[in-house]
Amino acid sequence: MNLAIVLNVVIQGVLTGLMYGLMALGLSVIFGVVRVVNFAHGEFAVVAMYATYLLFVGLGLDPLISLLPIALAFFAIGYFLQITLVNRFVGRSEHEQFILLVGLAIIIVNGLLMIFGPDARPTNLPYSLDSFEIGPLFIDTARVYSAVAALLVSAALFAFFRYTTTGTAIRACADNLTGAGVVGLNVKRLYAVTFGIGLACVGAAGSLMVTIADASPSLAQSFTLLAFTIVIIGGLGSMTGALVGGVLIGVSEAMASFFFAPSMKSMFSFALLVAVLVLRPQGLMGRRA
Amino acid sequence: MLRVENLDVFYGDAQALDGVSIEIEEGAIVAIVGANGAGKTSLIRTIAGMHKPTRGHVYFRGLDIAGWPSHRVCDLGIGQVAEGRQVFPTLSVAENLEMGAMLPRARAERAKNLERIYAMFPVLIERRQQAAGTLSGGEQQMLAIGRCLMGSPDLVMFDEPSLGLAPTIVQSVLQTVRDLNREGLTCVLVEQNVAVSLKLASHAYVLENGRITLAGSGEALLGDDRVRQAYLGM
């Protein structure tokens, strides 16, 4: 076994994992603050993939550019969705929230099937076959760009929560909801902003995802499951945990595909999930409940 | 300044407040006295917009604010120092104070208020970057009061501000209430420490099982046999 090949696989896994991490970050932020699990998360990622595909085919926009308008549009969609729909379900029992969001997921997937049909739509970037050669390593150019973009978006998000007043107010809501009411924070609006941010993350991640997968409605469910697995591994509500979990799952998938078979990658992801649940139920970076 | 009329509040089927009417005049300290579960916190939270009343009115400067959401109530100048302090434990002291100044009415006075609060509680300057959850109970209470004042309130409802604090700190918290009142702040004081709160108060109400059963000046209630028996153990 050649060490360089293994290293190639690991690097590819890390790069993919950063995109996964960004997607999971969206789920984590929504759950951590609004306390609703977005079971339509992967579905939104696929909508973003189609939007990126259309912008590429129609206007020739590179995914790295269309990421920005798509993230903005997804923010607006998330804000609107929270205000109109999800907010009525905040604080209600989990199965009711589950049904609402699963219902939304079904509508999205079948909507996509009606519009685009079941066939996968590839986004053939001019540089999709290029790679950086560093000694014995061959690293996909598109994947490097996407991973860097995912890191930048994540960093922007961290900065938003750390340094802006709105970000601090959102953390305050997550910290102590009664306290938020006491000081007169507009919790409904902050929840809407949070859901918007969560969807902006998944929108950006979906845009980047076209560099590694072809847009297809059938991806949606596995993406939701993937994001959920990552968030549980990283620790519910922990933002760094989502990124770390994403990288971990990315590497695990790449290794499993390489050493065993691509169809076995989920098995290893779930084995990781079970291991984390047994050994550290609060997740790698999660706080003990 | 604030007039509550015939307020009914329910939690599911359980009635927490039953036809409560109180009046708070500008510049006063009004004490609300009662046993645990009598409805004191329910009354405060309903005025603050954190619970919706089933019936009744809450007039603040002539405006009926019953059922308004808390962020709008706070923006009128009704502040609250909540039971259990309710600081944001993972946020720093400075961030906690900043959250008190999110109200539109308070934004312009942010710097001035912050200076005043740091002068009032110098320990908060030292602990500025520390997570609020790591503060002692007394320090958290100072932070809760400071955070409330960051919102430039005209009326503050103190809910059990001395609960769980050491006796010397209780004294200083109650002294703070008195000082703030002298500076013109209207105060509603809910205290387990009945004797002290009645001494501070110009007017007081006794709340029992969600009803107002007695009202009068603080002094009058302090001399009332029923109050002395039930709350002062005399």
Side-chain angles (χ1 to χ4, degrees):
Chain A
M1 186 71 59
N2 190 332
L3 189 70
I5 297 176
V6 178
L7 203 55
N8 262 322
V9 172
V10 171
I11 290 173
Q12 186 196 314
V14 171
L15 298 176
T16 312
L18 286 168
M19 286 180 250
Y20 288 174
L22 177 58
M23 179 171 74
L25 204 53
L27 187 71
S28 183
V29 164
I30 294 172
F31 178 79
V33 179
V34 188
R35 297 275 140 191
V36 167
V37 176
N38 179 16
F39 282 100
H41 208 66
E43 283 72 8
F44 279 110
V46 174
V47 171
M49 287 177 83
Y50 275 105
T52 312
Y53 161 79
L54 289 177
L55 287 174
F56 179 74
V57 175
L59 302 172
L61 276 188
D62 191 280
L64 296 171
I65 295 166
S66 47
L67 173 155
L68 285 174
I70 288 175
L72 275 178
F74 270 54
F75 175 85
I77 294 169
Y79 191 98
F80 179 76
L81 209 59
Q82 174 69 32
I83 288 276
T84 53
L85 206 60
V86 182
N87 215 6
R88 300 161 197 270
F89 285 77
V90 168
R92 278 165 74 170
S93 54
E94 277 132 5
H95 66 271
E96 292 178 60
Q97 301 173 348
F98 175 78
I99 287 169
L100 172 74
L101 288 151
V102 167
L104 192 62
I106 293 171
I107 291 170
I108 292 173
V109 169
N110 289 285
L112 289 174
L113 276 171
M114 280 166 66
I115 301 169
F116 296 99
D119 296 334
R121 303 286 178 117
T123 307
N124 296 311
L125 298 169
Y127 52 88
S128 60
L129 296 175
D130 296 357
S131 55
F132 294 114
E133 286 182 48
I134 307 163
L137 302 177
F138 289 83
I139 308 164
D140 295 349
T141 309
R143 228 180 267 254
V144 172
Y145 290 162
S146 301
V148 170
L151 263 183
L152 287 178
V153 175
S154 309
L157 201 64
F158 278 84
F160 169 79
F161 280 113
R162 189 81 192 79
Y163 299 111
T164 69
T165 352
T166 307
T168 309
I170 290 173
R171 280 191 288 135
C173 291
D175 226 15
N176 182 350
L177 196 55
T178 308
V182 166
V183 297
L185 294 180
N186 189 343
V187 175
K188 271 187 193 170
R189 197 185 71 84
L190 292 168
Y191 275 7
V193 172
T194 307
F195 211 94
I197 288 171
L199 282 203
C201 282
V202 74
S207 283
L208 298 173
M209 225 67 103
V210 300
T211 58
I212 56 166
D214 299 339
S216 152
S218 62
L219 286 174
Q221 269 194 349
S222 54
F223 276 168
T224 299
L225 206 54
L226 185 70
F228 199 60
T229 310
I230 291 169
V231 168
I232 303 281
I233 287 177
L236 276 170
S238 158
M239 290 175 58
T240 15
L243 278 187
V244 170
V247 169
L248 211 59
I249 289 292
V251 172
S252 147
E253 279 194 353
M255 303 269 268
S257 304
F258 181 74
F259 289 109
F260 300 95
S263 56
M264 288 174 76
K265 61 183 187 184
S266 303
M267 196 182 85
F268 282 88
S269 306
F270 293 135
L272 260 176
L273 174 69
V274 171
V276 166
L277 285 178
V278 171
L279 298 172
R280 205 178 148 79
Q282 74 272 37
L284 296 177
M285 327 276 284
R287 267 176 293 167
R288 207 171 277 275
Chain B
M1 186 181 208
L2 183 86
R3 200 170 80 244
V4 172
E5 275 181 21
N6 296 317
L7 208 59
D8 285 1
V9 172
F10 286 84
Y11 298 117
D13 287 334
Q15 188 160 12
L17 296 179
D18 183 359
V20 169
S21 299
I22 63 170
E23 181 144 12
I24 289 142
E25 273 170 44
E26 189 137 17
I29 296 184
V30 173
I32 296 169
V33 171
N36 281 336
K40 295 169 293 176
T41 297
S42 297
L43 176 59
I44 282 187
R45 292 202 169 163
T46 306
I47 294 170
M50 294 166 74
H51 294 312
K52 278 200 179 5
T54 314
R55 268 181 297 278
H57 302 280
V58 179
Y59 294 102
F60 182 68
R61 294 179 166 149
L63 209 57
D64 189 356
I65 59 166
W68 281 27
S70 57
H71 65 272
R72 288 185 62 201
V73 174
C74 285
D75 200 38
L76 289 174
I78 301 181
Q80 186 192 166
V81 175
E83 186 183 20
R85 305 184 274 273
Q86 307 294 347
V87 298
F88 303 116
T90 71
L91 268 56
S92 70
V93 166
E95 285 173 335
N96 266 276
L97 292 173
E98 193 186 341
M99 289 301 102
M102 290 289 280
L103 303 167
R105 69 180 272 119
R107 274 177 207 152
E109 292 169 52
R110 196 181 161 278
K112 200 188 83 196
N113 282 335
L114 193 62
E115 203 177 309
R116 173 172 166 230
I117 289 154
Y118 279 150
M120 199 185 296
F121 306 117
V123 67
L124 296 181
I125 307 179
E126 293 161 36
R127 305 247 188 270
R128 206 164 54 229
Q129 299 304 330
Q130 208 172 312
T134 65
L135 301 182
S136 72
E139 290 165 347
Q140 283 190 15
Q141 192 58 264
M142 292 175 204
L143 179 58
I145 295 172
R147 186 180 64 175
C148 174
L149 296 177
M150 285 296 285
S152 301
D154 297 328
L155 178 149
V156 171
M157 302 180 286
F158 294 86
D159 195 354
E160 303 278 14
S162 70
L163 195 67
L165 300 182
T168 51
I169 300 168
V170 171
Q171 285 309 313
S172 82
V173 166
L174 293 173
Q175 186 59 46
T176 305
V177 174
R178 198 202 309 256
D179 292 346
L180 287 169
N181 177 253
R182 285 200 183 129
E183 289 168 29
L185 188 73
T186 309
C187 300
V188 176
L189 183 60
V190 167
E191 253 298 325
Q192 44 156 9
N193 207 327
V194 173
V196 179
S197 67
L198 289 181
K199 269 180 212 150
L200 273 179
S202 49
H203 202 82
Y205 294 92
V206 176
L207 198 58
E208 277 172 358
N209 296 321
R211 289 200 191 94
I212 299 284
T213 51
L214 259 174
S217 72
E219 237 169 89
L221 259 63
L222 210 50
D224 188 282
D225 282 343
R226 285 165 292 177
V227 173
R228 291 167 73 89
Q229 264 179 10
Y231 301 105
L232 303 173
M234 288 190 258

